[in-house]
Amino acid sequence: MNFILILLAVWVVVIGAWWILTNAFKSADADKIRNRLLGTARPGKKKGAKGVASLLAEDDKTTGKFVLKVIQRFELQDRLKTLLEQAGLKWKVARLIHMCLSLFLCGFALGWLLIPSRFQALAVLPALALGALPLLYVSAKRTSRLSKFEEQFPESLEFVARSMRAGHAFSVSLEMLHREFQEPLAGEFRRTFEEHNLGLPLDAALQKLAQRVPSLDVHFFVSAVLLQKRTGGNLAEILDKLAYVIRERFKLRGKIKAISAHGRMTGMALSSIPCAVAAIMFLVNPDYVTFFVREEVGNYMALSGVALQILGYAIIKKIVNIEV
């Protein structure tokens, strides 16, 4: 009981300190924004020198400064930043790391309290599971956003081809996409157009689009546009044929999913049957199930069973997952 009270007290202190520091940083950011809007110059390095307000948005390195130093040492900041950008989330890298650490501590505390004393070292397993939830959420958002982009992409290529046949330039056609289509395709092409409109070469703007959207179809599109720009040709016809190829790939992917549906259902059924049997046995004969919690041999058997179930599901998923 004393351990629980101490843990709760430490947790309250940590959360309180984090809340106070966050509010302090927010007020500092508000002062920076107010000074920039009012045209207040920043002080230079030398005494009496006048600094010039930057027109480019800089990364906020005040919030989560220690965390950013740690992930920079492991070269993870750029990867996490790219992941958040592809997911369409306006989070900062420090915020994602803080969420993972907070859930990790909660999971470790719950595991330490609920797991038997001789196996308290295994409390790291639920801690890792909870700590990975923010990353799984971001990954799911990224997958959903990229899938929605790929669904809209063939129609957008045909729209660009039609607008070019109507007499519009290629860059103007890109600018028209964000008014005719929905997110995420509209936002990505609008960003590409604005980068090109502000002076970035079209080649570089399209290559940045391919980096932000890691899709094979987008790479085909960028390669086709750059090749046509260097060698010449009818770009509208190229885009029409590319849209046709992408739609055929979607059809093939749908056929493969239909064929492999039986294997996926088998994997889900085989993975859920042990959980259902354990729940039924807990209701029918609790003494039989508690053996896996109370006895040391039962703990090893339960851990082995869970590990084998995870391994079997991973193998089945690998078999039915066919790349197109």
Side-chain angles (χ1 to χ4, degrees):
M1 189 63 183
N2 293 331
F3 173 76
I4 298 176
L5 294 176
I6 294 173
L7 183 63
L8 290 176
V10 172
W11 183 253
V12 169
V13 171
V14 171
I15 294 297
W18 177 79
W19 182 77
I20 292 173
L21 292 175
T22 302
N23 289 338
F25 289 138
K26 286 183 178 178
S27 61
D29 293 340
D31 293 337
K32 292 180 182 178
I33 294 173
R34 188 182 303 108
N35 292 334
R36 180 171 296 181
L37 291 176
L38 294 177
T40 305
R42 293 181 298 178
K45 294 182 179 180
K46 297 181 180 181
K47 187 175 181 180
K50 294 183 179 180
V52 180
S54 176
L55 295 176
L56 299 177
E58 299 178 353
D59 293 336
D60 185 10
K61 297 182 180 180
T62 56
T63 305
K65 190 174 182 180
F66 174 75
V67 175
L68 292 178
K69 286 184 178 179
V70 173
I71 62 177
Q72 282 178 355
R73 180 170 298 180
F74 293 97
E75 299 180 354
L76 294 176
Q77 184 177 5
D78 293 336
R79 296 181 182 180
L80 293 176
K81 189 175 181 180
T82 303
L83 182 64
L84 290 172
E85 186 177 9
Q86 292 175 354
L89 298 174
K90 296 182 180 180
W91 295 358
K92 296 180 180 177
V93 177
R95 177 183 177 184
L96 178 62
I97 299 299
H98 287 157
M99 293 172 62
C100 293
L101 291 176
S102 301
L103 291 175
F104 179 85
L105 293 176
C106 292
F108 186 81
L110 292 175
W112 186 274
L113 295 175
L114 299 178
I115 295 177
S117 58
R118 60 178 179 273
F119 292 103
Q120 285 182 341
L122 298 176
V124 70
L125 297 179
L128 290 175
L130 284 179
L133 287 180
L135 291 176
L136 294 177
Y137 173 75
V138 173
S139 179
K141 291 282 290 183
R142 173 183 178 272
T143 303
S144 176
R145 187 170 182 269
L146 293 180
S147 299
K148 191 174 181 180
F149 183 94
E150 291 179 349
E151 292 176 0
Q152 299 173 332
F153 193 56
E155 187 177 355
S156 68
L157 295 181
E158 293 180 347
F159 177 84
V160 173
R162 290 194 300 268
S163 63
M164 291 182 65
R165 289 193 180 98
H168 297 289
F170 177 73
S171 59
V172 177
S173 302
L174 295 182
E175 193 270 338
M176 294 170 62
L177 284 175
H178 83 272
R179 294 181 301 192
E180 300 294 335
F181 289 84
Q182 298 178 352
E183 295 291 339
L185 187 139
E188 292 295 340
F189 276 101
R190 180 179 182 180
R191 180 173 176 180
T192 302
F193 170 77
E194 289 178 349
E195 289 175 348
H196 175 59
N197 195 32
L198 290 174
L200 190 68
L202 182 61
D203 299 0
L206 292 176
Q207 289 174 359
K208 291 184 68 175
L209 172 66
Q211 292 176 358
R212 293 195 304 270
V213 185
S215 174
L216 186 61
D217 300 332
V218 178
H219 284 282
F220 285 158
F221 165 70
V222 174
S223 300
V225 173
L226 297 183
L227 184 62
Q228 187 273 340
K229 185 179 179 182
R230 295 173 183 174
T231 61
N234 191 347
L235 183 58
E237 184 178 355
I238 294 174
L239 295 180
D240 282 335
K241 292 182 178 180
L242 181 58
Y244 172 77
V245 172
I246 294 174
R247 283 200 171 94
E248 291 298 320
R249 290 183 66 244
F250 279 150
K251 292 180 182 179
L252 180 60
R253 191 180 303 172
K255 292 179 180 179
I256 292 176
K257 286 184 179 180
I259 295 173
S260 60
H262 177 72
R264 294 198 304 271
M265 292 297 296
T266 301
M268 295 175 60
L270 293 177
S271 301
S272 59
I273 285 175
C275 300
V277 172
I280 293 173
M281 291 300 297
F282 183 79
L283 297 175
V284 176
N285 191 359
D287 296 333
Y288 181 80
V289 179
T290 53
F291 162 77
F292 295 97
V293 180
R294 290 183 285 101
E295 301 294 334
E296 184 176 359
V297 179
N299 296 144
Y300 288 121
M301 293 175 64
L303 291 175
S304 301
V306 171
L308 291 175
Q309 281 293 125
I310 296 175
L311 180 62
Y313 180 77
I315 292 175
I316 294 175
K317 187 176 181 180
K318 185 67 176 179
I319 292 174
V320 301
N321 188 16
I322 302 174
E323 295 290 339
V324 182

